[in-house]
Amino acid sequence: MNSMAYMEQANQDLLHTYNRYGIVLESGEGVYLSDADGKKYLDFAAGIGVCALGYGNEAYNQALKEQIDKLLHTSNLYYNQPAMQAARKLKAISGMDRVFFTNSGAEAVEGAIKAAKKYAFTRDGWAGHEIIAMRHSFHGRSLGALSVTGNRQYQEAFEPLLPGVRFADFNDLDSVKAQIGDKTCAVLLETVQGEGGIYPAEKEFLEGVARLCKEYDALLILDEIQCGMGRCGRMFAWQEYAVRPDILTTAKALGCGVPVGAFLMTERVAEKSLAPGDHGTTYGGNPLVCAAVSKTIELMEQMQIEEHVQKMAHCLWNRLEALKEKHTCITEHRGMGLMQGLELSVPAGEASRLALERGLILITAGANVLRFLPPLIIKEQEIDAMYEILDGILQDMEAR
Ligand SMILES: *Cc1c(COP(=O)(O)O)cnc(C)c1O
């Protein structure tokens, strides 16, 4: 079957919740993907920040194959070695004390919300605490995660959502101050807003929120599902700031392609939070995905991913700055590490479709931002190749 035939079939069978790009991806090698017709693409999206190690990493693939032959699944009624090893490694890179593995990002956020509520319930002896989340945030599509996602468009049809959620403005400490109070159990935010348009938290803001949280004994929940796992030049983006979250969520690049997420917390929170019977998952943290987590962390350490990302981030930053100098349709350039965005005055969706035609995978964030999330193994010459293609596209779009 060719790509057209596959797509026609899929459009009859799959629920139409995505307006997909018109290609069928089939295989990958390094930072390149190939479609079912044999066309090659330079990948600057990494499956929305998942495929940090790129494609076809031999050591990673081998670890998964070995685990498949040994044991895929046990349920959480028993211990399994890969989960223990993955948890230990995840604690070491995050400085957190307790790990709960989930199957997705949204589920990690669900768990974080429950953990914060339970903490406040244990402390105060009453339920009904409030959570402060940010406008233009994104935390996932399940109902709890949707309730803290500051985007009316995603929420409206599914109301009533979780009560007791208040929204503040990202990077506006006063707006958090105006919402926080004795009923607040947690402030939840992305260290770098992803879907909302690539907005890094300003230092004064994040550190100010952390201070406010201490003052009110509210928990600081950082959602690093997109910006964590080396993406921003540190294993977790918050490590660039003088803060430490009480609860941390991770997913996307955590397993580099297998469905796994986690929420983590400090011992201080864990002592008063979820207890036996409070939370669970059948699949979460099964041997297969945990073998992937362990190998991911091991490989990232081996290749000194933080240093590499910092270097490549600098390189990407300079290239995008050069484009901004050249093209008036670029109105802003933001980001941190290998998570950068260009705000355009022309439709970003169209730029992204043109990129695809020219063999470059680039996605958008919001309506007018081009989002750059390459595999973390990206090299300078590949950034240069992206630059050349995008330069041509912007030139053509401006010429119209
Ligand atoms: C992608 C994302 C989620 C949701 O993760 P899923 O695996 O799609 O459920 C939550 N928070 C942030 C910041 C994300 O980028």
Side-chain angles (χ1 to χ4, degrees), residues 117 126 128-132 163-166 179 181 183-187:
K117 283 179 175 269
W126 49 271
H129 292 83
E130 293 175 349
I131 292 175
I132 299 174
V165 179
R166 291 167 174 267
Q179 300 288 351
K183 283 184 82 176
T184 310
C185 69
V187 180

Side-chain angles (χ1 to χ4, degrees), residues 125-395:
W126 49 271
H129 292 83
E130 293 175 349
I131 292 175
I132 299 174
M134 301 297 139
R135 295 198 179 87
H136 306 296
S137 60
F138 182 84
H139 299 291
R141 304 299 200 137
S142 55
L143 284 168
L146 186 61
S147 302
V148 290
T149 288
N151 186 329
R152 292 294 305 147
Q153 207 184 309
Y154 292 162
Q155 292 180 327
E156 201 176 357
F158 308 103
E159 294 185 326
L161 295 170
L162 201 62
V165 179
R166 291 167 174 267
F167 286 97
D169 289 318
F170 193 69
N171 280 335
D172 179 351
L173 190 57
D174 286 336
S175 89
V176 180
K177 269 186 197 151
Q179 300 288 351
I180 203 165
D182 295 333
K183 283 184 82 176
T184 310
C185 69
V187 180
L188 163 65
L189 58 106
E190 296 154 90
T191 314
V192 182
Q193 284 194 334
E195 306 299 313
I198 315 292
Y199 289 93
E202 285 161 12
K203 208 168 159 55
E204 305 75 57
F205 173 70
L206 187 54
E207 292 171 5
V209 169
R211 272 196 307 276
L212 270 182
C213 283
K214 281 217 175 70
E215 203 178 304
Y216 285 88
D217 196 15
L219 301 178
L220 177 63
I221 307 177
L222 293 181
D223 180 347
E224 295 229 356
I225 289 168
Q226 190 162 156
C227 64
M229 291 305 292
R231 172 65 51 191
C232 290
R234 303 291 297 266
M235 282 317 290
F236 292 96
W238 60 263
Q239 291 164 340
E240 269 300 303
Y241 303 76
V243 302
R244 183 192 185 206
D246 300 297
I247 301 177
L248 171 69
T249 59
T250 170
K252 291 198 164 90
L254 176 63
C256 278
V258 297
V260 60
F263 63 97
L264 296 90
M265 60 189 84
T266 61
E267 194 64 37
R268 177 182 78 90
V269 177
E271 275 166 6
K272 290 199 176 85
S273 189
L274 303 172
D278 279 340
H279 200 56
T281 160
T282 300
Y283 279 132
N286 88 6
L288 178 70
V289 300
C290 284
V293 171
S294 276
K295 192 47 88 174
T296 295
I297 295 174
E298 198 183 303
L299 290 171
M300 284 185 173
E301 281 173 345
Q302 258 172 36
M303 60 179 77
Q304 297 179 298
I305 203 81
E306 291 184 327
E307 287 77 4
H308 177 73
V309 169
Q310 286 161 25
K311 262 192 228 145
M312 291 306 110
H314 187 69
C315 183
L316 177 62
W317 187 269
N318 288 341
R319 283 315 218 167
L320 296 183
E321 280 297 296
L323 283 177
K324 188 171 163 236
E325 291 281 298
K326 231 174 136 177
H327 300 281
T328 52
C329 69
I330 299 175
T331 54
E332 219 178 292
H333 174 203
R334 300 184 289 264
M336 189 170 168
L338 286 175
M339 182 171 180
Q340 298 186 26
L342 287 180
E343 199 169 302
L344 305 182
S345 59
V346 293
E350 199 191 334
S352 143
R353 275 187 296 278
L354 284 172
L356 210 55
E357 277 174 24
R358 298 176 198 194
L360 170 66
I361 294 189
L362 254 188
I363 55 175
T364 60
N368 56 350
V369 176
L370 271 183
R371 170 165 42 163
F372 300 79
L373 290 177
L376 302 185
I377 57 162
I378 196 92
K379 294 198 214 61
E380 193 162 351
Q381 75 215 49
E382 294 149 353
I383 294 173
D384 291 346
M386 179 281 296
Y387 170 91
E388 294 299 335
I389 300 172
L390 187 55
D391 187 25
I393 290 167
L394 296 176
Q395 212 160 327

Side-chain angles (χ1 to χ4, degrees), residues 7-81:
M7 288 186 286
E8 267 167 34
Q9 187 177 315
N11 288 339
Q12 288 169 29
D13 298 342
L14 298 175
L15 191 66
H16 188 186
T17 52
Y18 284 97
N19 289 317
R20 291 181 163 85
Y21 292 98
I23 60 171
V24 181
L25 293 171
E26 199 170 66
S27 62
E29 193 59 50
V31 295
Y32 286 89
L33 285 162
S34 297
D35 70 15
D37 300 327
K39 182 173 165 182
K40 216 171 144 186
Y41 302 85
L42 172 57
D43 181 20
F44 263 72
I48 321 186
V50 169
C51 310
L53 300 171
Y55 308 94
N57 182 298
E58 245 172 68
Y60 171 88
N61 290 358
Q62 196 54 39
L64 286 192
K65 286 173 193 166
E66 277 167 25
Q67 191 58 49
I68 286 171
D69 286 337
K70 223 187 246 170
L71 185 62
L72 266 182
H73 179 79
T74 58
S75 91
N76 283 305
L77 301 178
Y78 313 95
Y79 294 91
N80 76 71
Q81 289 165 5

